[in-house]
Amino acid sequence: MSNRFTILSIISGILIGAILLSFLFNTRQELKDIQVLMRSDRFWHVDHLAHEQAKLLEYLLLYASEPSEDKLSRIEKALDFLWVRVDVLTEGYNRPLLQDNIPEILNYADDLGEYLEANEQSILEPTPETVLQTIKDLRSLRDKYFEPHHSFTQLNLSNYRYFHSRFIETYRRNDLILISLVLVVLFYSIILYTEVRRNAKLLRSAREANVVKSDFLANVSHELRTPLNGILGSIQLIDRTKMPPSELEHIRTLEACGKGLEAQISDILDFNKLEQELLFIEPHSFLVQPFLDECYQSFVFSAKNKGLEYTKSYKNLPIWLIGDTVRMRQVILNLLSNAIKYTEVGSIEFKVNWQESSQNLELMIVDTGHGIADEDKELIFEPFRQIKQLSDPKVLGSGLGLSIVKKLVEAMSGTVTVNSVLGVGSEFKIVLPLKAGFGPEFPDADEEATTGIDDTLSKSPEAEIPLFNDTHVLIAEDNPVNIRILQAILKRFGVKSTVVYDGKAAISLLMQPDHDFNLVLMDLNMPEMDGLQATEIIRENGNDIPIYAVTAYATSQDRTACQQAGMNGYISKPIKLQDIQEILENHRTADANS
């Protein structure tokens, strides 16, 4: 939230606190006044003591003038009430209060109580002589304490008036306090509502900007991958068998640079997907050691070229585990690549340990490279952040690798930590909670091929290429560079190909009953009709020919869209020989099984 809202919140909080403190102070003062008024309740009993005594005198006088049972009954009731007033004032907690404040009134009550106790019988069973004597005695007691009782009455009246005014004043103050509190809360609510609306607007703007950014990155990726497809595709098609070593080295350098650019593009797209939480973890059962070996073997050549000692060690590995090998490979290759990049001399060790008790796979990459200063250990996981290496200023990159590693590991519910000493080396440790996988105890080579392990890194363009002379492929693609690359790769495999430039043309050829196409390579973005629409129409017409998407948008959403349209799979640009070979081999296997 903005600084303005923070300041207003603080001010509102102070005002509310001050109002509540004022309210509590007034309430406390009111309680004190009520306590004092409760004490004045004793004075109320004193006043009624004189009142009940006067009633008793009145009934005695009436009885003296004309005795009757009714008047005698009134005398008994008046005596009972008078006894109650005497007991209230002379017993319990009232006595010390009267003793300290109005001792004359206490003496009055004591004297009256003693008199009533001594003459109760004569009062309840009066004769003409005793009635007159009782009247005389009660008048004498009343006259004796008239002055203190009169003073008490004035004081009592004064107290009631004072407390009445105090209560009215307190209630008015409390009303003002409550009104102030309501106004402050209303003011704060208006500010909060305004700020919430402002933040919602900013959030919408940020989301819209994020969508624009994502679309921009996707389009840039597409535009970059298309020429990159031409570069890497052409490099793959160069005949290296008779090439001089010096020229072969130039080709390998060119290929490495192209793959590096491809990796940078993938990192930016992956980071964008991680930011939007669009990158999903897709666990499956895989063979553990072959997967780890494949990751390790990816950098044997790079480590050898730099003269580094490159070793591995596995401990307690199970045969099968369940995990997302695509994301795990991305994490491992990123860390191994960094280790080789930042290590000039010494060694790199790839250590893996399976913790059976906690069901955790521990991956450690230990190097003797530059090392990382303590203050930089947290910064290295921030996006677009690179720690300057004075000893190797030529090291370049986007600064996204470790940020992506951290986000991917956390997406797999794991942790990543780093221990490093500047100038000595670093140890990156990944802990991934994985479940036990399932499969045969001793898998054969065919089963290993179905575990999600990609062996493309171990293959080279110089390897012997199988031929698929009996295959005819329909290429639906509108970009001339991509067409040339696809045709050249298919020709390398001995495959016949036919090209159309949009989805409608592809449908027209496939609708002909005498076509001899075995499979289709379909671009997703074409004029007139895109690849997804074309595939849906082909499937609606009952044609089950294998269709593979060729796209620069290699996202999970694209994969889902391809599956929903009825495609058998997809390959992403830049197109690799191994990807085409795998599709052709799958087609040949499917034909053989059918």
Side-chain angles (χ1 to χ4, degrees):
M1 292 190 178
S2 63
N3 292 332
R4 181 188 64 177
F5 179 72
T6 303
I7 293 171
L8 289 174
S9 298
I10 293 172
I11 294 173
S12 299
I14 293 172
L15 288 174
I16 291 173
I19 291 171
L20 290 176
L21 286 174
S22 178
F23 181 77
L24 291 173
F25 175 79
N26 276 282
T27 303
R28 184 179 179 186
Q29 188 62 40
E30 183 179 350
L31 290 174
K32 286 183 177 180
D33 292 344
I34 291 173
Q35 188 176 13
V36 172
L37 186 60
M38 287 177 65
R39 291 176 183 171
S40 71
D41 186 58
R42 287 82 169 175
F43 304 150
W44 183 83
H45 285 294
V46 171
D47 188 47
H48 279 68
L49 175 68
H51 178 71
E52 298 299 341
Q53 182 185 359
K55 274 190 175 183
L56 182 59
L57 276 171
E58 179 185 355
Y59 295 148
L60 287 170
L61 286 169
L62 291 172
Y63 185 84
S65 63
E66 187 178 350
S68 68
E69 289 294 326
D70 178 61
K71 294 174 183 177
L72 184 59
S73 175
R74 290 184 181 182
I75 291 172
E76 290 176 357
K77 289 180 180 179
L79 181 61
D80 288 339
F81 280 117
L82 187 58
W83 264 121
V84 170
R85 304 300 178 193
V86 171
D87 289 340
V88 167
L89 293 173
T90 59
E91 296 178 2
Y93 58 87
N94 285 325
R95 186 174 186 86
L97 289 173
L98 291 173
Q99 183 67 47
D100 295 336
N101 295 285
I102 317 174
E104 295 85 356
I105 298 298
L106 181 61
N107 293 335
Y108 172 38
D110 284 339
D111 290 348
L112 185 58
E114 290 174 3
Y115 178 81
L116 294 176
E117 185 175 4
N119 298 280
E120 184 174 9
Q121 188 65 30
S122 60
I123 294 172
L124 293 174
E125 298 175 1
T127 61
E129 295 79 10
T130 58
V131 168
L132 293 176
Q133 184 61 41
T134 301
I135 292 170
K136 180 180 178 181
D137 293 339
L138 290 176
R139 283 177 174 172
S140 176
L141 280 172
R142 183 190 63 187
D143 295 341
K144 179 181 178 181
Y145 291 103
F146 174 78
E147 188 61 34
H149 181 264
H150 179 71
S151 300
F152 155 76
T153 302
Q154 295 301 317
L155 177 62
N156 192 21
L157 182 60
S158 167
N159 282 338
Y160 273 105
R161 288 174 179 171
Y162 168 75
F163 287 123
H164 179 70
S165 64
R166 284 292 302 273
F167 283 145
I168 291 175
E169 182 182 350
T170 300
Y171 285 132
R172 285 176 178 172
R173 281 201 304 267
N174 285 345
D175 287 343
L176 289 174
I177 290 171
L178 291 175
I179 291 171
S180 302
L181 180 61
V182 170
L183 291 176
V184 170
V185 171
L186 181 62
F187 173 69
Y188 182 78
S189 300
I190 293 171
I191 295 173
L192 182 61
Y193 174 73
T194 305
E195 193 67 20
V196 168
R197 288 196 62 183
R198 177 175 172 272
N199 287 339
K201 185 177 180 181
L202 291 174
L203 182 60
R204 283 195 302 271
S205 300
R207 285 175 176 169
E208 291 171 359
N210 209 24
V211 170
V212 172
K213 181 189 73 173
S214 300
D215 293 341
F216 172 76
L217 288 174
N219 291 329
V220 168
S221 167
H222 181 270
E223 296 304 322
L224 289 175
R225 284 178 185 270
T226 298
L228 191 60
N229 180 48
I231 295 170
L232 292 178
S234 298
I235 292 171
Q236 294 178 91
L237 295 170
I238 294 175
D239 185 2
R240 309 184 192 187
T241 55
K242 299 177 181 180
M243 187 174 289
S246 60
E247 293 184 10
L248 184 60
E249 186 63 28
H250 293 321
I251 292 297
R252 285 175 176 168
T253 301
L254 185 61
E255 185 177 29
C257 291
K259 289 182 177 179
L261 179 58
E262 181 186 7
Q264 294 294 328
I265 295 171
S266 298
D267 279 351
I268 292 172
L269 288 176
D270 282 344
F271 179 76
N272 184 57
K273 286 184 284 185
L274 285 166
E275 269 196 329
Q276 298 183 73
E277 299 181 354
L278 296 177
L279 195 148
F280 303 102
I281 301 303
E282 300 176 357
H284 55 270
S285 195
F286 68 97
L287 283 166
V288 180
Q289 184 164 338
F291 166 73
L292 296 173
D293 285 341
E294 178 260 332
C295 293
Y296 171 80
Q297 289 294 332
S298 303
F299 295 96
V300 169
F301 181 75
S302 300
K304 184 179 179 181
N305 278 351
K306 293 189 74 172
L308 300 174
E309 182 184 352
Y310 186 49
T311 60
K312 64 179 179 179
S313 63
Y314 303 150
K315 185 178 179 182
N316 302 325
L317 290 185
I319 298 176
W320 297 85
L321 284 175
I322 296 176
D324 189 334
T325 52
V326 174
R327 300 307 169 192
M328 290 172 62
R329 181 186 294 108
Q330 193 173 355
V331 168
I332 295 170
L333 296 186
N334 206 311
L335 293 177
L336 286 173
S337 174
N338 279 353
I340 290 176
K341 185 190 299 183
Y342 294 109
T343 303
E344 295 302 317
V345 293
S347 63
I348 296 171
E349 185 177 6
F350 179 43
K351 299 193 292 185
V352 185
N353 180 33
W354 170 250
Q355 295 285 354
E356 180 66 33
S357 58
S358 59
Q359 298 282 289
N360 286 333
L361 185 67
E362 296 180 351
L363 307 161
M364 284 174 285
I365 290 90
V366 184
D367 65 61
T368 58
H370 297 300
I372 304 166
D374 290 340
E375 61 271 17
D376 293 331
K377 288 179 181 177
E378 290 299 323
L379 299 179
I380 60 174
F381 294 106
E382 294 182 5
F384 305 105
R385 177 72 71 122
Q386 288 182 306
I387 306 303
K388 187 177 181 181
Q389 302 291 348
L390 297 178
S391 58
D392 191 4
K394 296 180 292 182
V395 172
L396 300 174
S398 63
L400 287 174
L402 289 178
S403 175
I404 292 173
V405 165
K406 183 178 175 67
K407 289 180 179 292
L408 285 175
V409 170
E410 290 175 348
M412 292 185 284
S413 302
T415 59
V416 54
T417 55
V418 57
N419 292 315
S420 183
V421 178
L422 192 62
V424 176
S426 304
E427 176 188 283
F428 283 83
K429 182 178 180 180
I430 306 292
V431 179
L432 296 174
L434 301 178
K435 295 181 180 180
F438 48 87
E441 185 175 356
F442 301 103
D444 56 28
D446 291 336
E447 287 166 338
E448 287 190 18
T450 64
T451 61
I453 298 174
D454 183 5
D455 63 348
T456 59
L457 291 171
S458 63
K459 297 179 180 179
S460 67
E462 294 87 350
E464 183 179 350
I465 296 179
L467 297 177
F468 303 86
N469 296 319
D470 56 344
T471 304
H472 188 185
V473 174
L474 175 61
I475 301 173
E477 171 67 69
D478 64 316
N479 185 280
V481 174
N482 292 336
I483 291 171
R484 285 198 296 272
I485 295 299
L486 281 171
Q487 283 185 310
I489 291 176
L490 291 172
K491 185 177 180 181
R492 190 81 172 266
F493 288 109
V495 175
K496 179 184 176 182
S497 62
T498 299
V499 177
V500 294
Y501 300 96
D502 60 65
K504 286 184 177 180
I507 294 172
S508 178
L509 286 179
L510 292 173
M511 291 291 288
Q512 297 177 11
D514 58 344
H515 79 78
D516 61 344
F517 297 112
N518 302 106
L519 58 89
V520 181
L521 296 178
M522 183 86 71
D523 184 29
L524 293 187
N525 294 310
M526 293 181 292
E528 297 295 330
M529 182 181 292
D530 63 36
L532 295 175
Q533 291 175 312
T535 302
E536 289 175 354
I537 294 173
I538 291 168
R539 296 305 186 216
E540 287 172 0
N541 288 312
N543 195 330
D544 60 353
I545 186 172
I547 302 176
Y548 291 86
V550 181
T551 177
Y553 302 109
T555 66
S556 57
Q557 289 92 335
D558 296 325
R559 183 187 307 173
T560 302
C562 291
Q563 290 174 346
Q564 291 176 347
M567 291 183 171
N568 298 78
Y570 78 101
I571 56 175
S572 61
K573 301 172 185 176
I575 301 166
K576 301 178 181 64
L577 281 169
Q578 292 83 358
D579 294 335
I580 299 296
Q581 180 179 336
E582 183 179 350
I583 290 174
L584 294 172
E585 287 176 346
N586 288 341
H587 168 66
R588 175 182 286 176
T589 302
D591 281 351
N593 292 335
S594 61

